[in-house]
Amino acid sequence: MYHTHNTESFLPDLQVDDVRMAFDDELNITKVGKHLSEQLEGYNIKNMHDTTDVMEILEKQKLEFQQAYEISGENIQQALGTHNSLRMFFDIHRDTKPRIVTTTTINNQEVAKLLFTVSTNHDNYAENLRFAMLLHERLEEKFPGVSRGVEERDSYFDSTYNQDLFGQSVLIEVGGIENSMEEANRTVEFLAEAIHDILSEPNR
């Protein structure tokens, strides 16, 4: 798990209402990734949570915003070269959509919705699409409405979201700017359960 746009945050937690202010060096999507990592550990699923401050690297090296995927891609390649047991890669983001799009109610609690994004312009596209659909379907079976589905994108600044590097990779938007981190954390608990179920299947 990693965060290409690691400073993406949530307006209610920052107590601001300007979309342009929905970023923070400390209170950001990385903490949601940490919660997901902890939930997976609770299922005895070993995982790595990369907390690299990609935005800080961009600033220090005077790089363009779209080059963030180059930085996170370097980290992925390093992880692949060091650990041969890696089976899934998740780039965890926060969407910019309004609350009405990114929120639902599960078990009488408001939670952030998930959106799975798959790049289409590389050789691993079909496998990544199948993987994203599998995650979506498992969530729909257990927690209907928590997933917004799977979105396929041709490119983003000619980027593949680094999904060309590994066959079970997906970009996940957890909630939106108007969700709270608490709502996002509730959602990744459902995601952890879905991942556990998938890994528990025969031949996985």
Side-chain angles (χ1 to χ4, degrees):
M1 292 170 291
Y2 63 101
H3 310 274
T4 298
H5 299 153
N6 61 286
T7 60
E8 292 176 332
S9 190
F10 303 89
L11 294 177
D13 295 285
L14 300 178
Q15 298 183 348
V16 296
D17 56 11
D18 187 339
V19 173
R20 296 168 296 179
M21 301 290 290
F23 300 90
D24 193 80
D25 291 336
E26 298 293 334
L27 196 64
N28 55 48
I29 194 65
T30 305
K31 291 188 179 297
V32 178
K34 181 174 185 283
H35 189 63
L36 175 57
S37 175
E38 292 169 348
Q39 292 298 307
L40 292 172
E41 290 288 349
Y43 287 108
N44 295 316
I45 298 173
K46 294 182 179 180
N47 64 86
M48 297 172 60
H49 181 215
D50 182 358
T51 59
T52 298
D53 192 337
V54 176
M55 295 298 105
E56 182 180 44
I57 293 173
L58 288 183
E59 183 178 352
K60 286 184 175 179
Q61 297 185 7
K62 295 180 169 53
L63 301 175
E64 299 295 328
F65 180 76
Q66 60 264 31
Q67 292 178 276
Y69 285 97
E70 296 177 19
I71 303 300
S72 59
E74 292 172 3
N75 292 342
I76 292 172
Q77 293 183 70
Q78 182 178 358
L80 286 170
T82 307
H83 305 276
N84 59 13
S85 61
L86 292 171
R87 300 171 66 180
M88 302 174 178
F89 279 83
F90 301 112
D91 188 3
I92 302 174
H93 292 247
R94 178 267 299 140
D95 207 343
T96 57
K97 295 291 191 299
R99 183 176 183 84
I100 192 170
V101 175
T102 64
T103 313
T104 190
T105 301
I106 305 289
N107 299 332
N108 296 318
Q109 288 187 310
E110 290 190 317
V111 303
K113 288 186 176 183
L114 299 170
L115 176 68
F116 300 99
T117 300
V118 175
S119 168
T120 63
N121 54 333
H122 57 91
D123 291 341
N124 284 329
Y125 157 66
E127 185 174 357
N128 288 335
L129 178 62
R130 179 199 59 78
F131 178 55
M133 288 300 301
L134 180 61
L135 288 164
H136 165 70
E137 290 165 0
R138 288 294 179 276
L139 284 165
E140 279 297 283
E141 288 172 5
K142 305 194 76 168
F143 310 104
V146 78
S147 173
R148 290 166 54 198
V150 177
E151 178 182 70
E152 301 175 51
R153 292 183 186 171
D154 290 338
S155 65
Y156 175 83
F157 294 116
D158 295 322
S159 171
T160 64
Y161 307 120
N162 294 312
Q163 293 173 7
D164 58 313
L165 300 177
F166 196 80
Q168 290 198 141
S169 302
V170 64
L171 186 155
I172 307 176
E173 303 275 10
V174 182
I177 50 173
E178 296 177 352
N179 287 109
S180 67
M181 192 169 296
E182 181 180 2
E183 290 168 340
N185 281 340
R186 289 172 188 158
T187 299
V188 296
E189 291 173 9
F190 301 145
L191 178 60
E193 186 171 335
I195 293 170
H196 169 260
D197 289 353
I198 290 170
L199 288 174
S200 300
E201 294 174 355
N203 303 319
R204 293 291 306 180

